[in-house]
Structure formats: C-alpha cells, structure tokens
Amino acid sequence: MTVEDGAPAGTSARRQGMREGWYPCPSGQPQLRHWSGTAWTEQTRPDLVRWVHGDRMLDVPGVFAFGRGSDEDDSGRPGPLEPHIWRRARLALILFVPIYLGLLLPFGLLLSDIGLSSAAEQFVYLLILVLGLGTYGRWHIVVRWLWLRYRPEPPKPVPVPKPRPDLWADLREAGFTDAARRLDEEVATGELTDVDYVRVARVVQSTARRNGASNLAPIAVAIQEEGGGAFLHSSGQRDLPMPRLVQHDLVTGQAQLGVAAETDRNPATHQKERFALDTEVLRTSMLVVGPPGAGKTRSFARPIIELLGLQTLVGLASVVVIDPTGSAFDERQLPGFFDVDIDPNAESGPSSWGFDLFGGASGPEEAADRLAGAVLPPDSAVRDPAVDSAARNALYSIIAEFHERNGRYPLLRELIDLVLTQSPVPLLNERLRLLDRPQLIDLFDGRPRKFSMREIDRPLRVRIALPEGSSPQAARILARLAIAQFVQVVAAPEANREVFKGLIVDEAGRFVDEYVVEGLQRARAANAGIVLLAQSLSQFPEHLRSAVFTGTGCKAVFAGVEPADARYFADYWGTSWSAETTVTTGTATTTTTGHSSTPGSPGRFGRGEKSVVQALTGSTSTQYQRSVATRAVERYVWSPSDIINEVPVGHALISLATPDGIRTPPVLVNLRA
C-alpha cells in the first residue's frame, strides 16, 4: 500500500532518481518514511537525530522521560503559589480594617504625644500597620509572585537556527572521520535504527572510556566496513523481528505501559503522564496479580519482554521467559524473537534445543540441591523435614559418586535408573519418575543442542515452554528447575554484572519455592530481576505467600481480584489521614399555641386539616438548624473494596520501587491509552 499524503508538488521528477530507502517524510512530520523505489509506503520511523537529542527528564520512577523538558514553561513564569501563603495573605488583608479601626485611637494619642502633625500621624500609623500585617501575611512574596506571573511578555528575539547535532563526535574528535561519515550516510537514508545507534554508540563510548580515544582504530575499521551493522547481536537482528507493541526509548531504557489516569487519587507527579518501566525498577522484581482475561500477558509480560529483547540487541541484557501454556509467547505471537526456544512439545530435530539438567551448578552438592528443590514438593521441607533432608542427601550421594567416577553429571535416564536402584527414600523415587516421559527424556538427553543457564551471562533471549497439557506435574518440576538455575547463575560470584538478567514467569504461583524467594533478594544486588505473574496470591504456597509479596519491590493489581488479594495490597499501600466533614441539617415547626410538630407528619384529619387549624389558631414559625463538624480520619490509600470495584477495565494499580529505596505511591494506569 502506498501513500502520497502531504507530498509537495513537483517532487515526482526528483523521486525518479531516489533509490529505495528511508527519507524525511514528505508530509513534513518529524519522522522518516520508506520509499519503495517507485512510491512512498506506509512504513515510518522516528527521526533519529531528533530522537537522540530530544527533551528528556528523569525525575521520578514510572514516568516516561522522552518528550519532557526540564522547564515546561519557556516564559519563566512561576507555578501556583503555595496554599498556606495565600491563606496568610488573605487573613492579614481581612484583619487590616478591624485592626486599623481598633488601634486608631490609642495609636493616635501615642503619636500626638510625640508631637507629630495630623498627616504625619496617619502616615506613620499606616506604615506600622502595613509593615506588621504585611510581614505576617507574606505580602512581599505574594506581590513578587503576582509580578512574575502576570508581567508583560517581553518581545521575543528572532530564533537562531541551531546547528545539527553531531551523533558521532567521539569518532571525529579521535580522527576517524571516515567511520563517522559512513554512519552519517546511514542516518540520512534512514538505514540506522535506534537499536543500531545505541549499540554502536555504547561500544564506542565504552572503548574510549576504558582504553582511551587513541585505541578506537579497530572499532572505527569495523564501523567503516559494516556501518550500523557493526557489533551485531549473535542473531544478526538490527531491530525486533515484529512490530513493537509499546513505545520504547532506548536512551533511557524505558518502555511505556500506558497513561496515568487523571484522578485525585493519583500522585501529582504522575497524573496524565505516560507511565513506563525500565530495568532499574525491574531490579527490585515485580509481582503482577489479576484474574484471567485481565490483560497481564499483553499489558505487562509482552512490553517487558520487548524491553529486555531490545536491551539484548544492544548488548545490555538477557531474558528468560517461562511459558506454561506453550502458546502465550510462541512463534505465532513473537515470530523470530527468541535466540533459544526450548519446547518439549515440539518435534525433536537438528535445530531443536534441549535443556541441561544441571546447567549452572558449580559442583555436585549444588547440582543435587537445586535438582532436589525442583523435584520434591514445594512444602516438603515444612511438612516432613526429615524425609526432605533424607531425599536431598540420597540425591547428592548418587550424583557425587557418578561425577567422581565419570567426570560428568548423569543424564536424566541414567539418574532415574540410579535413584530407583540406590535411593532408600520412596518420595524421591516417586517424584523423579514423573520425569520418565519420552518427550522429557528427549529434552534432557536426546537433542543435539543443549541450553545451559550459564549462557545468560551474555545477551540472550530464551523461551522455555512447559508440557502442562500432557504432564502437568513434570511441567512444574521443569519450571522450578529452570527458575532455580536462573537464581543460581545470577547469584554466582563469577556472574557478569554488566548484563541485566530478567526472568518472566507466567502463572508463577505453581513454580515458586524457598530458593526462589531467596533469589528475589539476591537479584537486586546482582543486576537482575524476576517478574511473577499470577491469577491470585492463593496460588503461591501458604508459607511463602507473605515472603513473595514483601520480596518484590514493584506491585501491580488488576480489578476483580479476590478479596484476600485486595487486602494484601491495601495493607501494603497503607493508610493516610484525611479531613472528614459532616454536615447535619434539620427543621422544627412551631405554632403560637405552643404546639410543635415535624413538617410532613399528618394529623388525624391529614395535611389539609392541619393547615386549617393553624390558620385559625395562630401563626407558624419554622426553625432551620445546620451544624458542621470536621475531624481527622485515617483511611486506606486504596481500600480492598476500592481495588475490587473502582479499578476500571483496562486499568491497573501499580507501585514501583528502585534499588536505592525510592518508592512511588500506587498509580492508577490506563493500559489501553
């Protein structure tokens, strides 16, 4: 489909010589449009130069920084005056007349004794009164504010065109102008994406910072040869392979989720602002709770996956996605997105990925502990600690002996046979046999390529599907094993802290154990984060529920959650003091005979008879009474009832936290804006 919207007349001749590529949009919009070689297409892309040097303001967590200037009012006029200053100024102005009249006689006598004339007395008296009340009422502040706010607008100077910003100043200053020119050409034709810019600029700046600008020669050679395609991710992708679901800003690493609703219950810092997430807040991990169909997958999981996928392409992150249904993030939803796609349900072949049963383990003891944590029931250590300890010891003994004898860890088939013949713990035998399924044996033992969790130390995008349809218990073991290995790799002393590691777990309540809860705390210091999505907190083991809730710094809840879940969030967000005003009104009717009645109460003969009697016996007077009482009341910031009933469809209540302790109040966000 082609478009000619807003194209200036007389450009058809010029277009004949234009090769296919990206060019400034003929409509005049601040974007680039793709030219197919014969006509303009509907494909557009933001202007890279304007995007890189656009206004940004990072002041509070959760607000999309791009497009926000540090000073929204270019005229320099101040914002609203503080309410308490207005109150004092008004009070001083109201008191001026009564104080003037009340002190006129004593001050007049005092000033007359000094010997001042009548005019001088009035001047001195007014001066003292104005100075006294003006000081109390802060009139000097109000007068200065009024002048700055409403002063005449000075004539604006003729704007001077700004020079076009140089995106590659580091290369030019180091003398590598040919490499900079190659990149400028790709910017001019629109070939350079925002991913290319951030990736190349990061490599150039980090190399110059570590080794000095004089050592940029190899970098410049690679740029001169490959342009924006230099230093590509191993996938060879220069952008996401599918359209982006939300707006991203790779300079700040933010992904926009929606727009904060315009309501008094939202903090003033977020009202009507675009709401966003970044890896800095994800380091504190996140808990998302909402009923089925609320939009958790599309509104949270998908934007976060996109965010971490883009960060992976620029070399700053890796992401692991646990897909319980096997269809929420598969090839149909995210075509070509994942570098490693582990799917037990898919047919085995040369290109299919397997999973390393002991990936991430530094020794037999650690390998046995992680595998036992995944295989045994999540509550076994609480329900029967003796059996749990015996199972772990038996598994360690078998794995350690095999490792010492063969110099490697056993395959799943070998491990099952060894446990069935050597383990004295029936629970371990029973649980491990759940993995004795042809598709799982093939996943762990048979596939030519195996993914080890230690590989997320480099930028990588991984999806792990679960066989819940055919083997629900085995699916839970596989999920817990993958999550435990992720925590294991993140917490390892030799882990690469420069790469952010993100784990996204859908339907997380069935897969969390004690080790994962410990990992929520370890992730923050290890430049990693875990996002847990669940339909209800009741899906988490009861003894871990509170620890999961408090261990995640960021929270999100949708409308329609269970009352128990709503109470968790309401208690977490706490209460605040507010002024409650009660107005009571009433009336009383009295006749001259002393008879008193309430208006509207019928007599023996009804309303009409009463009015005749009153007309004959005397007049009637009605007294109106009104009383106003104000008191301080402590209320929930968001009560359980408010969370259940007052969060609209397509909205969510979200609170964020940063690793340095900054927290935001709950913000009502429209996720469909």
Side-chain angles (χ1 to χ4, degrees), residues 22 63 145 185 265 329 334 371:
W22 294 88
V63 178
W145 180 85
E185 291 174 357
R265 306 189 72 163
F329 310 109
L334 298 171
L371 182 58

Side-chain angles (χ1 to χ4, degrees), residues 168-469:
W168 317 107
D170 293 333
L171 287 173
R172 285 192 173 86
E173 291 173 2
F176 302 106
T177 56
D178 291 339
R181 190 180 302 113
R182 169 70 189 271
L183 294 172
D184 285 336
E185 291 174 357
E186 293 196 7
V187 170
T189 58
E191 297 176 28
L192 198 77
T193 67
D194 55 350
V195 176
D196 293 334
Y197 169 77
V198 174
R199 185 186 65 252
V200 174
R202 184 184 67 85
V203 172
V204 171
Q205 293 168 6
S206 62
T207 303
R209 185 171 57 252
R210 285 197 309 264
N211 306 325
S214 58
N215 294 317
L216 284 175
I219 304 297
V221 170
I223 293 174
Q224 195 167 348
E225 292 177 353
E226 303 177 31
F231 323 116
L232 276 181
H233 180 257
S234 58
S235 65
Q237 296 174 359
R238 298 176 64 172
D239 202 345
L240 295 182
M242 71 288 181
R244 302 180 188 182
L245 184 64
V246 299
Q247 183 180 358
H248 295 265
D249 180 26
L250 292 182
V251 170
T252 56
Q254 290 181 306
Q256 180 184 342
L257 289 187
V259 177
E262 186 179 1
T263 171
D264 293 338
R265 306 189 72 163
N266 274 348
T269 52
H270 290 75
Q271 282 190 29
K272 297 188 293 184
E273 296 285 356
R274 292 175 292 173
F275 195 87
L277 295 179
D278 55 30
T279 55
E280 188 67 11
V281 298
L282 291 180
R283 278 179 57 192
T284 64
S285 296
M286 189 171 199
L287 175 65
V288 183
V289 178
K296 301 185 300 297
T297 301
R298 179 178 176 82
S299 302
F300 274 89
R302 174 71 181 270
I304 294 174
I305 290 172
E306 281 189 4
L307 166 65
L308 297 181
L310 288 168
Q311 294 292 304
T312 298
L313 293 181
V314 301
L316 294 175
S318 59
V319 57
V320 178
V321 178
I322 306 294
D323 186 358
T325 63
S327 60
F329 310 109
D330 61 0
E331 188 69 19
R332 291 172 297 177
Q333 305 297 327
L334 298 171
F337 181 88
F338 292 102
D339 308 308
V340 176
D341 196 347
I342 302 170
D343 190 351
N345 304 304
E347 294 184 6
S348 179
S351 61
S352 57
W353 282 90
F355 190 75
D356 189 348
L357 186 63
F358 301 102
S362 58
E365 183 176 3
E366 193 175 14
D369 187 58
R370 295 290 73 79
L371 182 58
V375 170
L376 298 176
D379 58 347
S380 64
V382 176
R383 192 176 36 151
D384 199 341
V387 172
D388 182 86
S389 178
R392 292 174 185 271
N393 291 336
L395 191 59
Y396 167 69
S397 175
I398 293 171
I399 293 176
E401 182 181 348
F402 186 93
H403 186 271
E404 183 178 359
R405 185 173 62 251
N406 299 282
R408 62 175 178 86
Y409 293 111
L411 300 175
L412 177 60
R413 177 77 271 166
E414 295 171 333
L415 181 64
I416 293 174
D417 294 339
L418 289 171
V419 168
L420 292 178
T421 57
Q422 299 182 22
S423 171
V425 185
L427 177 63
L428 179 61
N429 304 348
E430 176 187 341
R431 297 291 298 180
L432 199 59
R433 287 191 65 179
L434 293 172
L435 296 177
D436 194 4
R437 303 286 188 275
Q439 58 182 350
L440 294 179
I441 296 295
D442 177 65
L443 178 72
F444 289 107
D445 296 349
R447 300 190 177 181
R449 297 189 300 176
K450 281 190 181 180
F451 167 73
S452 174
M453 195 62 73
R454 287 197 179 277
E455 295 181 36
I456 63 172
D457 266 343
R458 61 182 177 88
L460 202 64
R461 298 166 296 180
V462 183
R463 168 182 172 262
I464 302 176
L466 303 179
E468 281 222 309

Side-chain angles (χ1 to χ4, degrees), residues 371-637:
L371 182 58
V375 170
L376 298 176
D379 58 347
S380 64
V382 176
R383 192 176 36 151
D384 199 341
V387 172
D388 182 86
S389 178
R392 292 174 185 271
N393 291 336
L395 191 59
Y396 167 69
S397 175
I398 293 171
I399 293 176
E401 182 181 348
F402 186 93
H403 186 271
E404 183 178 359
R405 185 173 62 251
N406 299 282
R408 62 175 178 86
Y409 293 111
L411 300 175
L412 177 60
R413 177 77 271 166
E414 295 171 333
L415 181 64
I416 293 174
D417 294 339
L418 289 171
V419 168
L420 292 178
T421 57
Q422 299 182 22
S423 171
V425 185
L427 177 63
L428 179 61
N429 304 348
E430 176 187 341
R431 297 291 298 180
L432 199 59
R433 287 191 65 179
L434 293 172
L435 296 177
D436 194 4
R437 303 286 188 275
Q439 58 182 350
L440 294 179
I441 296 295
D442 177 65
L443 178 72
F444 289 107
D445 296 349
R447 300 190 177 181
R449 297 189 300 176
K450 281 190 181 180
F451 167 73
S452 174
M453 195 62 73
R454 287 197 179 277
E455 295 181 36
I456 63 172
D457 266 343
R458 61 182 177 88
L460 202 64
R461 298 166 296 180
V462 183
R463 168 182 172 262
I464 302 176
L466 303 179
E468 281 222 309
S470 56
S471 308
Q473 292 293 336
R476 296 182 184 185
I477 293 175
L478 175 59
R480 286 202 296 269
L481 181 62
I483 297 171
Q485 289 186 5
F486 177 89
V487 174
Q488 200 172 35
V489 170
V490 164
E494 66 275 10
N496 182 6
R497 300 288 191 266
E498 294 183 1
V499 174
F500 176 85
K501 303 171 186 65
L503 174 66
I504 300 166
V505 187
D506 201 7
E507 304 297 337
R510 303 193 296 270
F511 313 133
V512 170
D513 57 14
E514 290 85 350
Y515 189 68
V516 176
V517 173
E518 295 176 9
L520 292 173
Q521 301 297 333
R522 298 180 186 179
R524 184 173 308 189
N527 194 24
I530 302 175
V531 180
L532 304 175
L533 300 101
Q535 296 181 13
S536 171
L537 289 171
S538 61
Q539 293 180 335
F540 293 93
E542 185 176 358
H543 66 287
L544 298 176
R545 204 168 297 159
S546 177
V548 169
F549 193 88
T550 56
T552 49
C554 302
K555 309 284 192 299
V557 61
F558 288 79
V561 294
E562 297 177 1
D565 297 339
R567 280 193 295 272
Y568 261 102
F569 284 94
D571 291 339
Y572 174 77
W573 287 323
T575 59
S576 63
W577 290 94
S578 60
E580 181 184 78
T581 301
T582 305
V583 180
T584 306
T585 59
T587 60
T589 305
T590 306
T591 65
T592 55
T593 61
H595 173 71
S596 177
S597 64
T598 301
S601 58
R604 187 165 61 94
F605 301 103
R607 236 181 244 241
E609 178 65 25
K610 186 167 88 169
S611 63
V612 172
V613 172
Q614 289 176 353
L616 293 175
T617 58
S619 60
T620 302
S621 63
T622 302
Q623 297 178 346
Y624 295 92
Q625 299 174 345
R626 183 175 184 271
S627 62
V628 181
T630 302
R631 60 174 182 168
V633 180
E634 188 177 14
R635 297 187 184 279
Y636 278 114
V637 175

